[in-house]
Amino acid sequence: MDNKNLRIKGARLKSTLEDMAKIGATPGGGVQRLALSDEDKEARDLFVSWLKEIDCEVTVDEMGNIFGKRPGKNNDLEPVMSGSHIDSQPKGGRFDGILGVMGPLEVLRTLHENNVKTERPIIIVDWTNEEGSRFAPAMIASGVWAGALERDWAYERTDINGKKQGEELERIGYKGPVPAKQWPVHAYYEYHIEQGPMLEKEGKEIGAPKGILCLHWYDIYLEGEANQVGPTPMEGRHDALCSAAEMILKVNEVPEKMKGNMVATVGEIQNYPNSRNIIPDGVHFTVDIRSWDDDQALRAWDSLKADFQEIADRRGTPIRMEETWRVEHAPFNEKLVKRVLESADELGYSSLHMVSGAGHDASYMNQICPTAMIFVPSIGGRSHVEVENTTWEDCEKGTNVLLHCILKSANER
Ligand code: HGY
Ligand code: MN
Ligand code: MN
């Protein structure tokens, strides 16, 4: 069969995704597969078993990244890679990340059953802990693999219960022997739901992001003075939660202050001792700033630092600000982005050239090799929620685009 007429099996992709959605399924119809949890392990084990079914060579590196390699005619040539992540947000969706691992698996299954031989080897990958929800920061394992983050620093990252990432990797049996070190890659494609409203709003089937925004993460710690809420006069209180409240609104206001086209969010907060009749004396909250313009994001942080210090001083609640993690904005490889648009066109799908506001492992892969992404619509633009949804038809279309992008790259010199 002429490769041009090759198509993936939508029904098989659907059942694969449905099997994965059963692992960590939540009552509200989503999934909870936090990085390095038992649910993550169960899904990893299933993915590895599926890779072996199609004779892929499976390796696990010291960050738990799982690679499935399909040899090419010439294995000295740099491979084509595609992948994403199996871990999810707490109460996350059934498509974020997993579609970008099961999609490439469906591509390899299609090549396998049609006995299609490509010039180059193809490697698909599950990147550990892309979400950064349990262990901050996000994309940590692709960051180590790409040489942007240190392995031992990543191992020491702890979750809210003090569990270390390195120990949890060991516990689930995915602290592999292979160094988490990059190798030369010919092309990397990441397939993902859009996680936003654009494709649905524009009525387009396939998204071809020109790149990903920068992501800057900060952690803020406030110290107040606890006391009994009843007898303590309002005057002279050092209420850490009131300081946090003022600061959180400053975060919400900073994009407008910086003339827009950026986002800033406080998504996580802990309040101590968190008792209704004690004035809070400890607060931790996170700040997430994103923009296509890294300098604008940095200016936003400078503005927030000044505001935070003024509030902390005025309210007598000492502050500690940690600059936890930054990844630059990622302008993708124009040739590969064009390939995504052309492949969609050849398949008869409408497409949209856009930007990704969501972070992906592609941000790091883009630092070391030609990279592009393929998006499919998110119904209602919703993601990181249990109602996250994409039609099976769109999943099939996106995977067909992925199939043909991989084929073209894997057969070019
Ligand atoms: O934060 C993100 O955009 C991704 O889900 N890690
Ligand atoms: Mn994702
Ligand atoms: Mn996500």
Side-chain angles (χ1 to χ4, degrees):
M1 173 200 295
D2 173 359
N3 282 351
K4 270 199 184 314
N5 301 320
L6 262 185
R7 296 292 181 272
I8 62 113
K9 286 207 167 90
R12 179 172 56 196
L13 173 66
K14 174 174 181 285
S15 94
T16 301
L17 287 165
E18 286 174 334
D19 286 348
M20 277 292 181
K22 289 176 192 139
I23 303 175
T26 56
V31 295
Q32 176 152 318
R33 270 196 310 266
L34 292 180
L36 310 181
S37 61
D38 292 343
E39 295 78 13
D40 186 15
K41 173 183 172 45
E42 189 184 339
R44 285 161 166 267
D45 292 347
L46 183 57
F47 175 50
V48 167
S49 72
W50 283 337
L51 286 171
K52 289 179 175 166
E53 273 175 8
I54 52 172
D55 306 327
C56 283
E57 180 195 315
V58 178
T59 45
V60 178
D61 74 14
E62 54 195 356
M63 281 304 297
N65 298 316
I66 302 170
F67 301 95
K69 180 174 183 179
R70 182 174 197 267
K73 291 176 199 163
N74 180 349
N75 290 301
D76 295 335
L77 292 176
E78 293 176 358
V80 172
M81 283 180 72
S82 180
S84 194
H85 59 95
I86 286 179
D87 70 299
S88 82
Q89 287 284 336
K91 286 196 184 313
R94 294 172 296 128
F95 296 88
D96 176 3
I98 194 71
L99 179 63
V101 184
M102 298 301 111
L105 174 69
E106 175 54 33
V107 166
L108 293 194
R109 283 171 166 170
T110 304
L111 299 181
H112 185 74
E113 69 192 352
N114 289 285
N115 201 21
V116 172
K117 286 272 168 277
T118 53
E119 282 303 316
R120 297 174 177 277
I122 298 168
I123 297 176
I124 71 174
V125 52
D126 162 39
W127 297 111
T128 298
N129 185 22
E130 185 281 339
E131 293 291 3
S133 172
R134 181 183 176 197
F135 301 100
M139 296 99 84
I140 196 164
S142 55
V144 171
W145 191 83
L149 300 174
E150 288 299 317
R151 180 203 64 190
D152 293 343
W153 175 80
Y155 281 169
E156 290 301 302
R157 305 299 292 169
T158 57
D159 69 7
I160 199 155
N161 302 313
K163 291 241 168 73
K164 289 188 177 177
Q165 186 150 227
E167 290 164 1
E168 284 296 277
L169 264 173
E170 195 105 57
R171 183 183 70 82
I172 67 166
Y174 275 92
K175 193 176 193 180
V178 177
K181 277 199 176 10
Q182 60 174 279
W183 52 69
V185 179
H186 178 66
Y188 175 79
Y189 293 99
E190 183 154 357
Y191 174 34
H192 208 284
I193 52 171
E194 177 201 344
Q195 300 184 286
M198 291 308 291
L199 288 172
E200 188 176 69
K201 188 162 148 269
E202 302 294 326
K204 302 290 185 187
E205 295 160 301
I206 299 292
K210 71 173 186 178
I212 302 175
L213 302 183
C214 73
L215 280 77
H216 293 182
W217 280 11
Y218 304 97
D219 283 87
I220 312 301
Y221 299 89
L222 290 163
E223 195 189 323
E225 188 177 278
N227 211 333
Q228 227 276 18
V229 296
T232 312
M234 293 309 287
E235 190 60 33
R237 286 186 174 194
H238 302 293
D239 183 329
L241 195 54
C242 285
S243 292
E246 275 200 65
M247 292 172 189
I248 290 165
L249 286 177
K250 291 289 182 192
V251 173
N252 184 254
E253 290 155 7
V254 78
E256 197 176 328
K257 191 175 170 184
M258 292 292 134
K259 307 277 178 279
N261 215 8
M262 64 176 296
V263 291
T265 316
V266 173
E268 181 182 345
I269 185 166
Q270 286 89 26
N271 176 53
Y272 303 97
N274 213 35
S275 164
R276 69 183 65 214
N277 43 11
I278 304 176
I279 299 167
D281 67 347
V283 170
H284 161 245
F285 67 86
T286 61
V287 178
D288 174 310
I289 300 175
R290 304 189 187 196
S291 169
W292 186 255
D293 177 350
D294 298 59
D295 290 338
Q296 184 199 34
L298 290 172
R299 286 196 303 276
W301 174 238
D302 286 342
S303 165
L304 286 174
K305 273 194 291 191
D307 288 340
F308 288 2
Q309 195 61 61
E310 186 280 324
I311 295 164
D313 295 347
R314 174 164 38 87
R315 288 181 171 274
T317 55
I319 185 169
R320 179 161 59 84
M321 303 185 237
E322 270 181 17
E323 303 185 357
T324 306
W325 171 65
R326 288 182 185 146
V327 61
E328 297 77 31
H329 86 285
F332 290 151
N333 176 282
E334 287 179 14
K335 181 184 150 204
L336 293 195
V337 173
K338 195 156 161 273
R339 179 160 284 171
V340 171
L341 291 164
E342 284 168 355
S343 301
D345 193 37
E346 287 156 12
L347 287 158
Y349 307 148
S350 57
S351 59
L352 179 70
H353 193 223
M354 54 195 294
V355 174
S356 175
H360 302 284
D361 295 298
S363 288
Y364 281 121
M365 290 304 284
N366 187 63
Q367 294 179 5
I368 63 156
C369 70
T371 293
M373 290 191 79
I374 298 161
F375 277 176
V376 284
S378 290
I379 295 172
R382 301 293 305 278
S383 182
H384 281 190
V385 288
E386 292 174 293
V387 296
E388 176 184 283
N389 200 3
T390 295
T391 67
W392 298 118
E393 294 71 28
D394 284 343
C395 289
E396 181 169 357
K397 289 173 190 168
T399 311
N400 275 322
V401 173
L402 179 68
L403 167 68
H404 287 283
C405 287
I406 288 176
L407 273 175
K408 288 171 187 170
S409 292
N411 284 321
E412 69 188 355
R413 296 298 294 170

